[in-house]
Structures are given as C-alpha cells and as structure tokens.
C-alpha cells in the first residue's frame, strides 16, 4: 500500500495515513500501515464456544483468519445497511485478523501532531481509544486494535511469566526511558521490566515528551549517558511517533550514541526497514517481552 500510493515513502516524517471507517454513524480509524486489504464481506464459518466478539473464521488466499465484529467489541448495535459493510484485513503483533465494519469511507494523510490524547474523563486504563482526530468538522477516533485483540485472546498480550523464564535476575542500576502511549502497556512494561531487574525506568506518553526530557538533561550541562542508558519506544503515539523520535535522537550530536529499541506491534518483515532507516539499534515485536529484555541486556549490560 505504501508504494502503491506513492505516499510516506520516507521514514520518520511524523506523518501517517489512516483509513476512516464507520460503525453506525460513528467515525473511527486504523493506521494504513496495519491494513493488508479491504474486502467485501464473505459468509464466515461459525466456531462453537468462540468469544462473543468473534463472528467466525474466513478463508482468504489459503489462510484461515478470525473475523471480529467490531461493532460488538465497541458496544454498538449491528449495521443498519449491511450492503455497505466491509472487512478490513489487518496485520500486527505478528498475526492477521479481520475486522467487520459498517463502511469504509476514505484515507487521510495526517501528522501525529493532529492526534489528541484522549481525556482522562473518558479514557481509563481499559480504554480502546488511543487518539482523537478532528478533520473536516468531524471527530475520528483512532482505535487501539491491539487492546481489542488482547481482550479477546489474553494470551496474545504481554506477560511477566515470559521474563521469569529467563531465570533469576540481578537488580540493575541502569536507567531506561520508555515512550508508550497506552496506560495499560505502561503498567505492564513497568511490572515486567521490574521483574527483569530494571527498576529505574522513566515513562512518557509520547515521543515528544521523551525527546524533551532527553534535551533537558543536555541543557542542564550533564552528559546524557549519565542519566539515561537506553531508550525504548513504541511507534504509534500522538504528537510524535517512535520513528520520528528515533530519527531526532540520531540527528542530535549529544544524543545520537544512545541505544534505541523500537518495541511495537508494527515490527513485521514488511515494515522492519522503516526502523532501520531511522537508525534504530534493535526492533522487537510486541508482545515478545522476553526478547525485549534480552535486547536491553545486550546493549547496556
């Protein structure tokens, strides 16, 4: 999709394309980078005792894929006009899933700066919204598709047990910073990194806040390596994404030697080149937390 549209061929521009779609009259969006294709509905095969959000399974080009009723997952009613329904075939977290939506409207190219963080009034730890975009007089909600999938299949999420399998760990005095917009994932990362011995971890909600923190260390006249030994960043974040954060770190003479590990659901064979282009030290796909810990060990111990 990236080459076909001729858009966003550069990594680290802090821009993205979103596919806008409808559930009822409500506008939602998914990052184009997650979308493999959009197809007309086909009749699914029902699966006995499946999760309530699972409509069934479909076969697509030889692959058997789960079909998620997104309206049901979001607490909305069924489609009023099934003839307009679409299936969005997506890939992230090293898996493919299909989302049943009520219509697909258009693709927008926007900056992460245009995406506002949801208010705490309606976004708790369990929120399914990662951002709000105001476009053409409409509000479009950017959904946390990873969270929706983990709600259906908890085994696909991050688990501290995977770190425990690495054996007894010594407490480390190394200092890490993590840029991650999901409150739930920040808590999970806090717990799993602590289990791995990394107790000095500073968390930021987006790449911009993380970069400002690093630059503030330099402005105080301190060598950044004395305060931070490694950066971990997600890719999809409001204000500044992880690719742009990595690019900015590499372009800064005082910061460029810091190891940067990208930890994201978007680390796939097709997309790994984006992180390489902006100078990531390593890239690990969520939810492989044990692999992340091993990468941290490798670069700062």
């Amino acid at each position: 999709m990236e080459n076909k549209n001729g858009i966003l061929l550069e990594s680290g521009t802090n821009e993205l394309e979103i596919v806008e779609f409808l559930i009822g009259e409500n506008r939602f969006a998914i990052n184009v980078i997650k979308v493999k294709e959009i197809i007309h509905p086909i009749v699914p095969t029902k699966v006995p005792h499946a999760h309530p959000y699972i409509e069934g399974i479909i076969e697509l080009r030889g692959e058997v894929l789960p079909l998620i009723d997104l309206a049901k997952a979001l607490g909305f009613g069924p489609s009023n006009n099934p003839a307009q329904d679409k299936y969005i075939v997506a890939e992230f977290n090293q898996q493919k899933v299909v989302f049943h939506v009520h219509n697909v409207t258009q693709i927008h190219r926007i900056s992460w700066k245009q995406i506002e963080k949801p208010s705490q009034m309606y976004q708790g730890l369990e929120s399914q919204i990662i951002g709000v975009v105001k476009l053409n007089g409409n509000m479009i909600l950017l959904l946390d598709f990873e969270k929706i999938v983990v709600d259906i299949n908890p085994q696909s999420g991050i688990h501290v047990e995977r770190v425990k399998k690495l054996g007894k760990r010594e407490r480390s005095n190394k200092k890490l910073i993590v840029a991650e917009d999901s409150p739930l994932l920040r808590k999970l990362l806090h717990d799993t990194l602590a289990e791995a011995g990394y107790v000095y971890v500073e968390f930021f909600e987006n790449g911009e806040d993380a970069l400002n923190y690093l630059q503030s260390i330099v402005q105080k006249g301190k060598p950044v390596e004395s305060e931070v030994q490694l950066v971990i960043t997600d890719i999809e974040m409001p204000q500044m994404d992880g690719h742009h954060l990595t690019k900015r770190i590499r372009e800064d003479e005082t910061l460029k030697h810091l190891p940067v590990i990208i930890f994201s659901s978007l680390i796939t064979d097709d997309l790994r080149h984006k992180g390489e282009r902006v100078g990531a030290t390593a890239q690990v796909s969520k939810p492989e937390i044990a692999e992340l810990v091993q990468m941290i060990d490798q670069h700062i111990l």
Side-chain angles (χ1 to χ4, degrees):
M1 189 170 285
E2 184 178 313
N3 290 328
K4 185 169 66 184
N5 290 335
I7 296 176
L8 297 188
L9 295 176
E10 287 299 311
S11 297
T13 61
N14 208 38
E15 292 176 303
L16 75 157
E17 287 179 287
I18 56 172
V19 176
E20 180 189 330
F21 62 87
L22 299 178
I23 300 290
E25 299 300 315
N26 303 276
R27 297 171 188 271
F28 296 97
I30 181 171
N31 193 337
V32 162
I33 217 168
K34 289 185 170 122
V35 178
K36 302 302 284 183
E37 58 185 311
I38 297 166
I39 62 173
H40 292 291
I42 53 181
V43 178
T45 299
K46 299 287 185 184
V47 179
H49 309 298
H51 190 282
Y53 300 164
I54 298 288
E55 277 190 66
I57 53 177
I58 65 168
E59 184 183 347
L60 193 62
R61 295 180 186 80
E63 287 186 280
V64 176
L65 304 175
L67 176 65
I68 296 173
D69 184 343
L70 201 52
K72 195 173 281 188
L74 298 175
F76 291 97
S79 174
N80 292 325
N81 189 355
Q84 292 185 333
D85 286 15
K86 297 288 188 296
Y87 287 178
I88 297 175
V89 184
E91 183 178 17
F92 51 86
N93 276 2
Q94 300 177 317
Q95 60 186 332
K96 277 187 189 172
V97 291
V98 183
F99 294 99
H100 181 178
V101 303
H102 295 169
N103 201 355
V104 172
T105 50
Q106 56 189 312
I107 293 177
H108 304 281
R109 181 181 180 178
I110 61 172
S111 165
W112 283 103
K113 286 271 189 193
Q114 290 173 254
I115 300 175
E116 295 183 19
K117 176 177 168 284
S119 160
Q120 291 297 330
M121 284 289 287
Y122 56 86
Q123 182 222 25
L125 200 60
E126 299 297 323
S127 175
Q128 294 164 319
I129 303 166
I130 58 172
V132 181
V133 186
K134 288 181 279 194
L135 270 180
N136 307 322
N138 296 310
M139 278 202 295
I140 304 171
L141 305 182
L142 200 58
L143 289 176
D144 188 343
F145 288 90
E146 291 85 348
K147 166 105 178 33
I148 292 166
V149 169
V150 170
D151 285 346
I152 294 168
N153 177 23
Q155 284 307 308
S156 66
I158 290 172
H159 295 281
V160 69
E161 289 75 21
R162 295 176 191 178
V163 173
K164 289 178 179 174
K165 287 180 182 176
L166 297 176
K168 183 162 173 55
R169 312 263 312 175
E170 295 298 321
R171 184 182 168 112
S172 171
N173 61 359
K174 301 291 186 179
K175 297 172 186 172
L176 318 180
I177 71 168
V178 177
E180 167 60 66
D181 65 313
S182 164
L184 186 65
L185 276 172
R186 285 199 298 273
K187 183 180 187 311
L188 287 170
L189 280 169
H190 174 273
D191 295 347
T192 48
L193 290 174
E195 179 68 28
Y198 294 108
V199 292
Y200 299 107
V201 184
E202 191 89 31
F203 286 88
F204 298 92
E205 294 181 352
N206 60 64
E208 187 170 68
D209 290 349
L211 183 63
N212 288 342
Y213 174 75
L214 291 171
Q215 290 173 336
S216 73
I217 295 170
V218 175
Q219 285 162 6
K220 290 172 186 169
K222 299 178 183 177
V224 73
E225 293 84 358
S226 68
E227 300 294 314
V228 176
Q229 281 79 56
L230 184 136
V231 176
I232 300 165
T233 180
D234 189 15
I235 293 176
E236 295 184 288
M237 296 179 288
Q239 300 305 312
M240 183 185 291
D241 72 5
H243 283 144
H244 192 65
L245 169 63
T246 306
K247 184 170 181 273
R248 293 285 295 274
I249 289 171
R250 290 292 173 256
E251 290 172 346
D252 189 315
E253 284 298 317
T254 59
L255 303 176
K256 68 180 185 182
H257 302 299
L258 275 175
V260 179
I261 299 176
I262 296 178
F263 184 54
S264 167
S265 64
L266 298 179
I267 306 303
T268 64
D269 291 341
D270 290 342
L271 298 172
R272 190 173 288 273
H273 70 279
K274 284 180 166 286
E276 291 169 354
R277 230 177 257 168
V278 293
T281 309
Q283 300 179 78
V284 180
S285 175
K286 290 176 182 174
E288 302 300 334
I289 190 71
E291 186 184 339
L292 175 65
V293 169
Q294 289 168 328
M295 281 291 175
I296 298 169
D297 293 349
Q298 182 180 326
H299 291 288
I300 64 174
L301 290 186

